[in-house]
Amino acid sequence: MPISGLRVRFTDDGDAMDRGIAALEGDRRIDIGARRDDKLAIVLETQDADEDKAAWKWINALPEVRHVDVVFISLDQDDQTPSAAIGAEGVKP
Amino acid sequence: MTMPATDRRQFLKSAAMAAAAGAVLGETETSIALPVLGSEDSGIKWDKAPCRFCGTGCHVQVGVEDGRVVAIAGDQHADVNKGLLCVKGYHVGMILYGEDRLTKPLLRRGDGFVEISWDEAIDIAARRIMQSPDKFAIYGSGQWTIPEGYVAQKLMKGGLSNNHIDPNARLCMASAVTGFLATYGVDEPAGCYDDLDACDVVITWGNNPAEMHPVLFSRVMDRQSSGEKVMLIDISTRRTRTSEVADEYLEMLPHGDVAIALGIMHLLVERDQYDHEFVSRFCNFRAHESGKPTLKGEAISFEEYKSRLAMYTPDYVEQLSGVPAEKIRMLADLFADPDVKITSLWCMGMNQHTMGTAINTLVHGVHLLSGKFGVPGNSPTSLTGQPSACGTAREVGTLSHLLPGGRLVANDKHRADAERLWNLPEGRINPKIGFHTLKMFEEFTKEGGGVSTMWVQVTNPGQTLPNLNKLFEPKSELDDRFLIVSEVYPTATTQLADLVLPAAMWVEKNGIFGNSERRTQQWFRMVEPPGDARDDCWMTIAVAHRLMELGHPGMKDKDGVFIFHMEDENGNEVPIWEWEHYYDINVDRHLFDDYRRFSRMKHKDLAPYDEYVKTRGMRWPVVQQPDGSWRETRFRFSAFDDPYVKEGQPFEFYHSTSGDGRAQIWVHDYKSPPEMPDEDYPFWLNTGRVLEHWHTGTMTRRIPQLTRAMPSAYVELNPEDARELNVRDGEVVRVESRRGSTDLPVWTRGRGYPPRGQIFVPFFDETMLVNHVTLDEHDPFSKQPDFKKCAARVRKISA
């Protein structure tokens, strides 16, 4: 269950930030944090890496969002990292 | 103690919110507590470390629970990244947990390997070296920690009297080194990342920081989005993500950068718009006049300099570079404007270049000629691709001609100084320069070559060397060659290894890196390595000790003491060559404090180890103040910041090659690349990296999120070329040169956009080795090969 800490930057288009925050508040996976200027802190908690990726994409695609920076990520122990192709075959006792 | 899952998740969410809030408000105004370094209250212990990947040197906070890294946060206390990370950085913790980590020493038996003990492995390595110590070579890395590089080079130069040690930085940074040396007489940038916060114009010379140094690039983007006017000019052979956000994209032909720099100089001189005062007080002019060119060159007059530039008119530069004459004038106008601050950035585009030293000196020269130097915002700055290319490969002196602290093996006094500091008998250090990387592998892979045993540490030459069919693959046919590889994962290099030593990585060991802006960064071991994996530094010391037991005289100093002798605080020797005692003391601290004595010999002063424990790095020279504190230097050679500039002088180049405190402005004639497209091989081939993968992908390809985002290599092709070849996106084609070939899927609308006649292939994918195709021609001074241009063709495979 990935947890990400994100810094969202909004466009300077009128009330874009308020509209963007309203959209984010509507998603139960997201906690809203501090804001300053065009920046907002949020935490995103999802069930798995695929949902996490889809959620980031959704946030990035909001018209009010200029940019998303990731500043924190938890590592899921179940998400075992793979071996690369040649290597796995290349060195085995 | 393990926390209940709900508490643990709540803690992680709090930490995530604290990190995000810190990035929004700035660390001092965050009301939510940040993760406390060293705190174990929550069951998760946090500590600081530099990121393992590129040379930017971002700091992360690493959360460890039950001996495993469970969270990564951008470090808000770090000047470099101010809490932000790139897509690789925030996944960095996962590099430790690939399912195929090497955990046992392995010895080749026929086509396979057998597991052996560490005692056997160390003995085998030492006996191979003892057979022919002068035919032994170490090939290391800009990913070596500073202590790792230091012990490797002391073993070779101070122990075996053998200078055949070279790092992979030869493939990425060597031309930057020779460029700095030829211009200022001393390596590494004068400025720092602070320049990016103060400049009016950023020029990227064959550089794509939007993908390769994204956190650094975001400093510029942040300024732009905050309403500041920062002009970005991208000079490149193909459109990249950097080009997409640039105010000016100047598409040049390969080698066009040389002509462009000469063109700017020509206009500044011709229009009398150069900075007369800066040049007359602080610069000389240099060229290669004799038949035996050297890095010092020969002095020339301003008139001679001017006459050599005369031919590089905007129209002629347009012919050579493909960049319109009006854009050359635009660049010259910016450099001529005293109110505009310009920072130039470059990395592999200018370094992997058969005129690498020349183009480096020319870009420095443009800045010096225009006086755009030494003031925050005005800086020629090279970036590095590896986390300690500067700190280890360059500063520790692991290149085959260097000693620690930027000193030279060929210099009698420098050798004598090193022998004195290491307490070695006079004459121990060999005055003959060792094999550089290409020569080393040539000697290792040819019949009767001068290298019979090679130890590769922390790098993957089986994937990164150019022209692999010449420089690496022939090893498999030579039974008398022995390849030792210290690695964390199986790689293209371990495939040909005879002995594989499983290594600890990143926060599984203590370490110190040095980033692109002269910043030295320390971290502590936070988790245990898997299985029997051990520190590279320990491996080197253990082999050295075994060599001593086998009777090699070089493993003792002139008093008969082991060259890596270390004592605890009570003065008792600690047998650090025995793994169970290696962490009885902090070996890194001992080695670093030993090494830092050298750093003061060329004004690259380092503070004591413990000072770096307290900070997120400091930029050298770090000089002690009257109150006992240690002060870093952001801007070298500028009196307002550099304590080594003589009083009363605004600038002083105190390692000037001309001995008069002046920097050198060079002129070189444009030369065509050694191999150019022709009828048989009509495309220019360019190679490089992509955002998601770092170098050969041995770490990033084991991170599922990154592998999913960029699963395999590809050949970027212009859509019109694809149409002419009758190939479509995803179709596999053969990319071949006179040296070899590899098969790759086509991508016409990908990350970059090459012009017609050019192709680009990333080198991260070990299943599609583009270095079978590349050229091993190299710069005459730096010996750095050109991975950015050679002639190739693309052939449709399927019917």
Side-chain angles (χ1 to χ4, degrees), chain A residues 1 3 6-7 9 31 36 43 45 56 70-73 75 77 80-87 91 93, chain B residues 9 13 17 23 25 29 70 72-74 83 90 97-100 106 113 222 225 490 494-495 702 766-767:
Chain A
M1 292 178 69
I3 295 171
L6 308 173
R7 183 182 80 169
R9 301 193 70 168
D31 289 344
R36 170 173 288 176
V43 170
E45 184 179 17
W56 289 7
V70 180
V71 293
F72 180 99
I73 188 162
L75 308 179
Q77 192 157 353
Q80 181 76 45
T81 59
S83 55
I86 280 186
V91 177
Chain B
R9 294 198 63 69
K13 283 183 75 171
M17 185 57 87
L25 302 173
E29 295 182 52
V70 296
I72 295 292
Y90 55 74
Y97 302 116
E99 63 187 13
D100 56 343
L106 301 171
F113 289 89
D222 274 4
S225 60
T494 59
Q495 278 203 299
R702 287 168 172 87
E766 63 189 351
T767 66

CSV table of all heavy atoms in Angstrom, one decimal, chain A residues 1 3 6-7 9 31 36 43 45 56 70-73 75 77 80-87 91 93, chain B residues 9 13 17 23 25 29 70 72-74 83 90 97-100 106 113 222 225 490 494-495 702 766-767:
chain,number,residue,atom,x,y,z
A,1,MET,N,0.8,-1.2,0.0
A,1,MET,CA,0.0,0.0,0.0
A,1,MET,C,0.9,1.2,0.0
A,1,MET,O,1.3,1.7,1.0
A,1,MET,CB,-0.9,0.0,1.2
A,1,MET,CG,-2.0,-1.1,1.2
A,1,MET,SD,-3.0,-1.2,2.6
A,1,MET,CE,-4.0,0.3,2.4
A,3,ILE,N,2.4,4.9,0.0
A,3,ILE,CA,2.1,6.3,0.5
A,3,ILE,C,3.1,7.3,-0.1
A,3,ILE,O,4.3,7.0,0.0
A,3,ILE,CB,2.2,6.3,2.1
A,3,ILE,CG1,1.2,5.3,2.7
A,3,ILE,CG2,2.1,7.7,2.6
A,3,ILE,CD1,1.4,5.1,4.2
A,6,LEU,N,3.4,14.5,-1.7
A,6,LEU,CA,3.5,15.3,-3.0
A,6,LEU,C,3.4,16.8,-2.7
A,6,LEU,O,2.6,17.2,-1.9
A,6,LEU,CB,2.4,14.8,-3.9
A,6,LEU,CG,2.2,13.3,-4.2
A,6,LEU,CD1,1.0,13.1,-5.1
A,6,LEU,CD2,3.5,12.8,-4.9
A,7,ARG,N,4.1,17.5,-3.6
A,7,ARG,CA,3.9,19.0,-3.6
A,7,ARG,C,3.3,19.3,-5.0
A,7,ARG,O,3.9,19.1,-6.0
A,7,ARG,CB,5.3,19.7,-3.5
A,7,ARG,CG,5.1,21.2,-3.4
A,7,ARG,CD,6.5,21.9,-3.4
A,7,ARG,NE,7.1,22.0,-4.7
A,7,ARG,CZ,8.2,22.7,-4.9
A,7,ARG,NH1,8.8,23.4,-3.9
A,7,ARG,NH2,8.8,22.8,-6.1
A,9,ARG,N,1.9,22.0,-7.6
A,9,ARG,CA,1.9,23.4,-8.0
A,9,ARG,C,0.8,23.7,-9.0
A,9,ARG,O,0.6,22.9,-9.9
A,9,ARG,CB,3.2,23.7,-8.6
A,9,ARG,CG,4.4,23.5,-7.7
A,9,ARG,CD,5.7,24.1,-8.2
A,9,ARG,NE,5.6,25.5,-8.1
A,9,ARG,CZ,6.6,26.3,-8.3
A,9,ARG,NH1,7.8,25.8,-8.6
A,9,ARG,NH2,6.5,27.6,-8.1
A,31,ASP,N,-5.1,13.2,1.4
A,31,ASP,CA,-5.1,14.2,2.5
A,31,ASP,C,-4.5,15.5,2.1
A,31,ASP,O,-3.5,15.5,1.5
A,31,ASP,CB,-4.3,13.7,3.7
A,31,ASP,CG,-5.0,12.5,4.4
A,31,ASP,OD1,-6.2,12.2,4.1
A,31,ASP,OD2,-4.4,11.7,5.2
A,36,ARG,N,0.9,27.3,0.3
A,36,ARG,CA,1.5,28.6,0.2
A,36,ARG,C,1.7,29.0,-1.3
A,36,ARG,O,2.1,28.2,-2.1
A,36,ARG,CB,2.8,28.7,0.9
A,36,ARG,CG,3.6,30.0,0.7
A,36,ARG,CD,4.8,30.1,1.5
A,36,ARG,NE,4.5,30.4,2.9
A,36,ARG,CZ,5.4,30.5,3.8
A,36,ARG,NH1,6.7,30.4,3.5
A,36,ARG,NH2,5.1,30.8,5.0
A,43,VAL,N,-1.0,14.2,0.7
A,43,VAL,CA,-0.5,12.8,0.9
A,43,VAL,C,-1.5,11.9,0.2
A,43,VAL,O,-2.7,12.1,0.3
A,43,VAL,CB,-0.4,12.4,2.4
A,43,VAL,CG1,-0.2,10.9,2.6
A,43,VAL,CG2,0.7,13.2,3.1
A,45,GLU,N,-2.6,7.9,-0.5
A,45,GLU,CA,-2.5,6.6,0.0
A,45,GLU,C,-3.3,5.7,-0.9
A,45,GLU,O,-4.5,5.9,-1.1
A,45,GLU,CB,-3.0,6.5,1.4
A,45,GLU,CG,-2.8,5.1,2.0
A,45,GLU,CD,-3.2,5.0,3.4
A,45,GLU,OE1,-4.0,5.8,3.9
A,45,GLU,OE2,-2.9,4.0,4.1
A,56,TRP,N,-1.4,9.4,-9.6
A,56,TRP,CA,-0.4,10.4,-9.9
A,56,TRP,C,-0.8,11.0,-11.3
A,56,TRP,O,-0.8,12.2,-11.5
A,56,TRP,CB,1.0,9.9,-10.0
A,56,TRP,CG,1.6,9.6,-8.7
A,56,TRP,CD1,1.0,9.5,-7.5
A,56,TRP,CD2,3.0,9.2,-8.5
A,56,TRP,NE1,1.9,9.1,-6.5
A,56,TRP,CE2,3.1,8.9,-7.1
A,56,TRP,CE3,4.1,9.0,-9.4
A,56,TRP,CZ2,4.3,8.5,-6.6
A,56,TRP,CZ3,5.3,8.6,-8.8
A,56,TRP,CH2,5.4,8.3,-7.5
A,70,VAL,N,7.4,14.8,-6.2
A,70,VAL,CA,7.3,13.8,-5.2
A,70,VAL,C,8.4,14.1,-4.2
A,70,VAL,O,9.5,14.2,-4.5
A,70,VAL,CB,7.4,12.4,-5.8
A,70,VAL,CG1,7.3,11.3,-4.7
A,70,VAL,CG2,6.4,12.2,-6.9
A,71,VAL,N,8.0,14.1,-2.9
A,71,VAL,CA,9.0,14.4,-1.9
A,71,VAL,C,9.1,13.3,-0.9
A,71,VAL,O,10.0,13.3,0.0
A,71,VAL,CB,8.8,15.7,-1.1
A,71,VAL,CG1,9.0,16.9,-2.1
A,71,VAL,CG2,7.4,15.8,-0.5
A,72,PHE,N,8.2,12.3,-0.9
A,72,PHE,CA,8.3,11.2,0.0
A,72,PHE,C,7.6,10.0,-0.7
A,72,PHE,O,6.6,10.1,-1.4
A,72,PHE,CB,7.5,11.5,1.3
A,72,PHE,CG,7.4,10.4,2.3
A,72,PHE,CD1,8.3,10.5,3.4
A,72,PHE,CD2,6.6,9.4,2.2
A,72,PHE,CE1,8.3,9.4,4.3
A,72,PHE,CE2,6.6,8.3,3.1
A,72,PHE,CZ,7.4,8.4,4.2
A,73,ILE,N,8.2,8.8,-0.4
A,73,ILE,CA,7.6,7.6,-0.9
A,73,ILE,C,7.9,6.5,0.1
A,73,ILE,O,9.0,6.4,0.6
A,73,ILE,CB,8.0,7.3,-2.3
A,73,ILE,CG1,7.2,6.1,-2.9
A,73,ILE,CG2,9.5,6.9,-2.4
A,73,ILE,CD1,7.2,6.0,-4.4
A,75,LEU,N,8.2,2.4,0.7
A,75,LEU,CA,8.5,1.3,-0.2
A,75,LEU,C,7.8,0.1,0.3
A,75,LEU,O,7.9,-0.3,1.5
A,75,LEU,CB,10.0,1.0,-0.1
A,75,LEU,CG,10.9,2.2,-0.4
A,75,LEU,CD1,12.4,1.8,-0.3
A,75,LEU,CD2,10.6,2.8,-1.7
A,77,GLN,N,7.2,-3.7,0.8
A,77,GLN,CA,8.0,-4.9,0.9
A,77,GLN,C,7.5,-5.9,-0.1
A,77,GLN,O,8.3,-6.8,-0.6
A,77,GLN,CB,8.0,-5.4,2.3
A,77,GLN,CG,9.1,-6.5,2.5
A,77,GLN,CD,9.5,-6.7,4.0
A,77,GLN,OE1,9.1,-5.9,4.8
A,77,GLN,NE2,10.3,-7.6,4.2
A,80,GLN,N,8.4,-6.9,-4.7
A,80,GLN,CA,9.8,-7.4,-4.9
A,80,GLN,C,10.3,-6.9,-6.3
A,80,GLN,O,9.6,-7.0,-7.3
A,80,GLN,CB,9.8,-8.9,-4.9
A,80,GLN,CG,11.1,-9.6,-5.1
A,80,GLN,CD,12.0,-9.5,-3.9
A,80,GLN,OE1,11.5,-9.8,-2.8
A,80,GLN,NE2,13.2,-9.2,-4.0
A,81,THR,N,11.5,-6.4,-6.3
A,81,THR,CA,12.0,-5.9,-7.5
A,81,THR,C,12.6,-7.0,-8.4
A,81,THR,O,13.1,-8.0,-7.9
A,81,THR,CB,13.1,-4.9,-7.3
A,81,THR,OG1,14.1,-5.5,-6.5
A,81,THR,CG2,12.6,-3.7,-6.5
A,82,PRO,N,12.4,-6.9,-9.7
A,82,PRO,CA,12.8,-8.0,-10.6
A,82,PRO,C,14.3,-8.1,-10.8
A,82,PRO,O,15.1,-7.2,-10.4
A,82,PRO,CB,12.0,-7.6,-11.8
A,82,PRO,CG,12.0,-6.1,-11.8
A,82,PRO,CD,11.9,-5.7,-10.4
A,83,SER,N,14.6,-9.1,-11.5
A,83,SER,CA,16.0,-9.3,-12.0
A,83,SER,C,16.0,-8.8,-13.4
A,83,SER,O,15.0,-8.8,-14.1
A,83,SER,CB,16.5,-10.7,-11.9
A,83,SER,OG,15.6,-11.5,-12.7
A,84,ALA,N,17.2,-8.3,-13.9
A,84,ALA,CA,17.3,-7.9,-15.3
A,84,ALA,C,17.6,-9.1,-16.1
A,84,ALA,O,18.1,-10.1,-15.7
A,84,ALA,CB,18.4,-6.8,-15.4
A,85,ALA,N,17.4,-8.9,-17.4
A,85,ALA,CA,17.3,-10.1,-18.3
A,85,ALA,C,18.7,-10.9,-18.4
A,85,ALA,O,18.7,-12.1,-18.0
A,85,ALA,CB,16.9,-9.7,-19.7
A,86,ILE,N,19.7,-10.2,-18.9
A,86,ILE,CA,21.0,-11.0,-19.1
A,86,ILE,C,21.5,-11.5,-17.8
A,86,ILE,O,21.9,-12.6,-17.6
A,86,ILE,CB,22.0,-10.1,-19.7
A,86,ILE,CG1,21.8,-10.0,-21.2
A,86,ILE,CG2,23.4,-10.6,-19.5
A,86,ILE,CD1,22.8,-9.3,-22.0
A,87,GLY,N,21.5,-10.5,-16.8
A,87,GLY,CA,22.2,-10.8,-15.5
A,87,GLY,C,21.7,-12.1,-14.9
A,87,GLY,O,22.5,-12.9,-14.4
A,91,VAL,N,25.0,-15.1,-14.3
A,91,VAL,CA,25.8,-15.5,-13.2
A,91,VAL,C,24.9,-16.3,-12.2
A,91,VAL,O,24.1,-15.8,-11.5
A,91,VAL,CB,26.3,-14.3,-12.4
A,91,VAL,CG1,27.1,-14.7,-11.2
A,91,VAL,CG2,27.2,-13.5,-13.3
A,93,PRO,N,25.4,-19.9,-9.7
A,93,PRO,CA,26.3,-21.0,-9.3
A,93,PRO,C,25.8,-22.4,-9.8
A,93,PRO,O,24.7,-22.5,-10.2
A,93,PRO,CB,26.2,-21.0,-7.8
A,93,PRO,CG,24.9,-20.3,-7.5
A,93,PRO,CD,24.6,-19.4,-8.6
B,9,ARG,N,1.4,2.8,9.4
B,9,ARG,CA,0.9,3.5,8.2
B,9,ARG,C,0.6,5.0,8.6
B,9,ARG,O,0.9,5.9,7.9
B,9,ARG,CB,-0.4,2.8,7.7
B,9,ARG,CG,-0.1,1.5,7.1
B,9,ARG,CD,-1.2,1.0,6.2
B,9,ARG,NE,-1.4,1.9,5.0
B,9,ARG,CZ,-0.5,2.0,4.0
B,9,ARG,NH1,0.6,1.2,4.1
B,9,ARG,NH2,-0.7,2.8,3.0
B,13,LYS,N,2.2,8.1,7.0
B,13,LYS,CA,1.5,9.2,6.4
B,13,LYS,C,1.9,10.6,7.1
B,13,LYS,O,1.9,11.6,6.4
B,13,LYS,CB,0.0,9.0,6.7
B,13,LYS,CG,-0.6,7.9,5.7
B,13,LYS,CD,-2.1,7.7,5.9
B,13,LYS,CE,-2.9,8.9,5.3
B,13,LYS,NZ,-4.4,8.5,5.3
B,17,MET,N,3.3,13.7,5.0
B,17,MET,CA,2.8,15.0,5.1
B,17,MET,C,3.8,16.0,5.6
B,17,MET,O,3.9,17.2,5.0
B,17,MET,CB,1.5,15.1,6.0
B,17,MET,CG,0.8,16.4,6.1
B,17,MET,SD,0.2,16.9,4.4
B,17,MET,CE,-1.4,16.1,4.4
B,23,ALA,N,8.3,21.0,1.9
B,23,ALA,CA,8.6,21.4,0.5
B,23,ALA,C,7.7,22.6,0.1
B,23,ALA,O,8.1,23.4,-0.7
B,23,ALA,CB,8.4,20.3,-0.4
B,25,LEU,N,6.3,24.9,2.5
B,25,LEU,CA,6.5,26.1,3.4
B,25,LEU,C,8.0,26.4,3.7
B,25,LEU,O,8.3,27.5,4.1
B,25,LEU,CB,5.9,25.8,4.8
B,25,LEU,CG,4.4,25.5,4.8
B,25,LEU,CD1,3.9,25.0,6.2
B,25,LEU,CD2,3.6,26.7,4.4
B,29,GLU,N,9.4,26.7,8.7
B,29,GLU,CA,8.0,27.1,9.0
B,29,GLU,C,7.0,25.9,9.0
B,29,GLU,O,5.8,26.1,9.0
B,29,GLU,CB,7.5,28.1,7.9
B,29,GLU,CG,8.3,29.4,8.0
B,29,GLU,CD,7.8,30.4,7.0
B,29,GLU,OE1,6.6,30.7,7.0
B,29,GLU,OE2,8.6,30.9,6.2
B,70,VAL,N,12.4,1.3,4.4
B,70,VAL,CA,10.9,1.3,4.2
B,70,VAL,C,10.4,2.6,3.6
B,70,VAL,O,9.2,2.7,3.2
B,70,VAL,CB,10.1,0.9,5.4
B,70,VAL,CG1,10.5,-0.5,5.9
B,70,VAL,CG2,10.4,1.9,6.6
B,72,ILE,N,11.6,6.7,1.7
B,72,ILE,CA,12.5,7.7,1.3
B,72,ILE,C,11.8,9.0,1.2
B,72,ILE,O,10.7,9.1,0.7
B,72,ILE,CB,13.0,7.3,-0.2
B,72,ILE,CG1,13.8,6.0,-0.2
B,72,ILE,CG2,13.8,8.4,-0.8
B,72,ILE,CD1,15.1,6.0,0.5
B,73,ALA,N,12.5,10.0,1.8
B,73,ALA,CA,12.0,11.4,1.7
B,73,ALA,C,13.0,12.3,1.2
B,73,ALA,O,14.2,12.1,1.5
B,73,ALA,CB,11.5,11.9,3.1
B,74,GLY,N,12.6,13.3,0.4
B,74,GLY,CA,13.6,14.3,0.0
B,74,GLY,C,14.0,15.0,1.2
B,74,GLY,O,13.2,15.3,2.1
B,83,GLY,N,14.5,19.3,-0.5
B,83,GLY,CA,13.4,18.4,-0.3
B,83,GLY,C,12.9,17.6,-1.5
B,83,GLY,O,12.1,16.7,-1.4
B,90,TYR,N,13.3,9.1,-5.7
B,90,TYR,CA,12.3,8.6,-4.7
B,90,TYR,C,12.1,7.1,-4.7
B,90,TYR,O,11.4,6.6,-3.9
B,90,TYR,CB,11.0,9.5,-4.7
B,90,TYR,CG,10.2,9.6,-5.9
B,90,TYR,CD1,9.5,8.6,-6.4
B,90,TYR,CD2,10.2,10.8,-6.6
B,90,TYR,CE1,8.7,8.7,-7.5
B,90,TYR,CE2,9.4,11.0,-7.7
B,90,TYR,CZ,8.7,10.0,-8.2
B,90,TYR,OH,8.0,10.1,-9.3
B,97,TYR,N,16.8,-4.2,-3.2
B,97,TYR,CA,16.0,-5.4,-3.0
B,97,TYR,C,15.7,-6.1,-4.3
B,97,TYR,O,14.6,-6.8,-4.4
B,97,TYR,CB,14.8,-5.0,-2.2
B,97,TYR,CG,15.1,-4.4,-0.9
B,97,TYR,CD1,14.8,-3.0,-0.6
B,97,TYR,CD2,15.9,-5.1,0.0
B,97,TYR,CE1,15.2,-2.5,0.6
B,97,TYR,CE2,16.3,-4.5,1.3
B,97,TYR,CZ,15.9,-3.2,1.5
B,97,TYR,OH,16.3,-2.6,2.7
B,98,GLY,N,16.5,-6.1,-5.3
B,98,GLY,CA,16.3,-6.9,-6.5
B,98,GLY,C,16.4,-8.4,-6.1
B,98,GLY,O,17.2,-8.7,-5.2
B,99,GLU,N,15.6,-9.2,-6.7
B,99,GLU,CA,15.6,-10.6,-6.3
B,99,GLU,C,16.9,-11.4,-6.6
B,99,GLU,O,17.1,-12.5,-6.1
B,99,GLU,CB,14.4,-11.3,-6.9
B,99,GLU,CG,14.4,-11.4,-8.4
B,99,GLU,CD,13.1,-12.0,-9.0
B,99,GLU,OE1,12.1,-12.1,-8.2
B,99,GLU,OE2,13.1,-12.3,-10.2
B,100,ASP,N,17.7,-10.8,-7.5
B,100,ASP,CA,18.9,-11.5,-7.9
B,100,ASP,C,20.2,-10.9,-7.4
B,100,ASP,O,21.3,-11.0,-8.0
B,100,ASP,CB,19.0,-11.6,-9.4
B,100,ASP,CG,18.9,-10.3,-10.1
B,100,ASP,OD1,18.5,-9.3,-9.5
B,100,ASP,OD2,19.3,-10.2,-11.3
B,106,LEU,N,31.7,-16.1,-6.1
B,106,LEU,CA,31.5,-17.1,-7.1
B,106,LEU,C,32.8,-17.3,-7.9
B,106,LEU,O,33.4,-16.3,-8.4
B,106,LEU,CB,30.3,-16.7,-8.1
B,106,LEU,CG,29.0,-16.5,-7.4
B,106,LEU,CD1,28.0,-15.9,-8.4
B,106,LEU,CD2,28.4,-17.8,-6.9
B,113,PHE,N,29.4,-21.2,-12.6
B,113,PHE,CA,30.1,-20.7,-11.4
B,113,PHE,C,29.8,-21.6,-10.2
B,113,PHE,O,28.8,-22.3,-10.1
B,113,PHE,CB,29.6,-19.3,-11.0
B,113,PHE,CG,30.0,-18.2,-11.9
B,113,PHE,CD1,29.3,-17.9,-13.0
B,113,PHE,CD2,31.2,-17.5,-11.7
B,113,PHE,CE1,29.7,-16.9,-13.9
B,113,PHE,CE2,31.6,-16.5,-12.6
B,113,PHE,CZ,30.8,-16.2,-13.7
B,222,ASP,N,11.5,26.5,-11.5
B,222,ASP,CA,10.8,27.1,-10.3
B,222,ASP,C,10.9,28.6,-10.4
B,222,ASP,O,10.0,29.3,-10.2
B,222,ASP,CB,11.4,26.6,-9.0
B,222,ASP,CG,10.8,25.3,-8.5
B,222,ASP,OD1,10.0,24.8,-9.3
B,222,ASP,OD2,11.2,24.9,-7.4
B,225,SER,N,8.5,29.8,-13.1
B,225,SER,CA,7.1,29.7,-12.8
B,225,SER,C,6.8,30.7,-11.7
B,225,SER,O,5.6,31.0,-11.5
B,225,SER,CB,6.7,28.3,-12.4
B,225,SER,OG,7.4,27.8,-11.4
B,490,PRO,N,24.1,-9.5,-11.1
B,490,PRO,CA,24.7,-10.0,-12.3
B,490,PRO,C,24.6,-8.9,-13.4
B,490,PRO,O,23.6,-8.2,-13.5
B,490,PRO,CB,23.8,-11.2,-12.6
B,490,PRO,CG,23.2,-11.5,-11.4
B,490,PRO,CD,23.0,-10.2,-10.6
B,494,THR,N,29.9,-9.3,-15.3
B,494,THR,CA,30.0,-10.5,-14.6
B,494,THR,C,29.9,-11.7,-15.5
B,494,THR,O,30.4,-12.8,-15.2
B,494,THR,CB,29.0,-10.6,-13.4
B,494,THR,OG1,27.7,-10.6,-13.9
B,494,THR,CG2,29.2,-9.6,-12.4
B,495,GLN,N,29.2,-11.6,-16.6
B,495,GLN,CA,29.1,-12.7,-17.6
B,495,GLN,C,30.5,-13.2,-18.0
B,495,GLN,O,30.6,-14.4,-18.3
B,495,GLN,CB,28.4,-12.2,-18.8
B,495,GLN,CG,26.9,-12.2,-18.6
B,495,GLN,CD,26.2,-12.3,-20.0
B,495,GLN,OE1,26.3,-11.4,-20.8
B,495,GLN,NE2,25.4,-13.4,-20.2
B,702,ARG,N,15.8,-2.8,-11.9
B,702,ARG,CA,15.2,-3.7,-10.8
B,702,ARG,C,14.2,-3.0,-10.0
B,702,ARG,O,13.8,-3.5,-9.0
B,702,ARG,CB,16.4,-4.3,-10.0
B,702,ARG,CG,17.1,-5.3,-10.8
B,702,ARG,CD,18.4,-5.7,-10.2
B,702,ARG,NE,19.0,-6.8,-10.9
B,702,ARG,CZ,19.8,-6.7,-11.9
B,702,ARG,NH1,20.1,-5.6,-12.4
B,702,ARG,NH2,20.3,-7.8,-12.5
B,766,GLU,N,20.7,-3.9,-21.1
B,766,GLU,CA,21.8,-4.9,-21.3
B,766,GLU,C,21.4,-6.0,-22.4
B,766,GLU,O,22.2,-6.8,-22.8
B,766,GLU,CB,22.2,-5.6,-20.0
B,766,GLU,CG,21.1,-6.3,-19.4
B,766,GLU,CD,21.5,-6.8,-18.0
B,766,GLU,OE1,22.7,-6.7,-17.6
B,766,GLU,OE2,20.6,-7.3,-17.2
B,767,THR,N,20.1,-6.0,-22.7
B,767,THR,CA,19.7,-6.9,-23.8
B,767,THR,C,19.9,-6.4,-25.2
B,767,THR,O,19.7,-7.1,-26.2
B,767,THR,CB,18.3,-7.4,-23.6
B,767,THR,OG1,17.4,-6.3,-23.8
B,767,THR,CG2,18.0,-7.9,-22.2
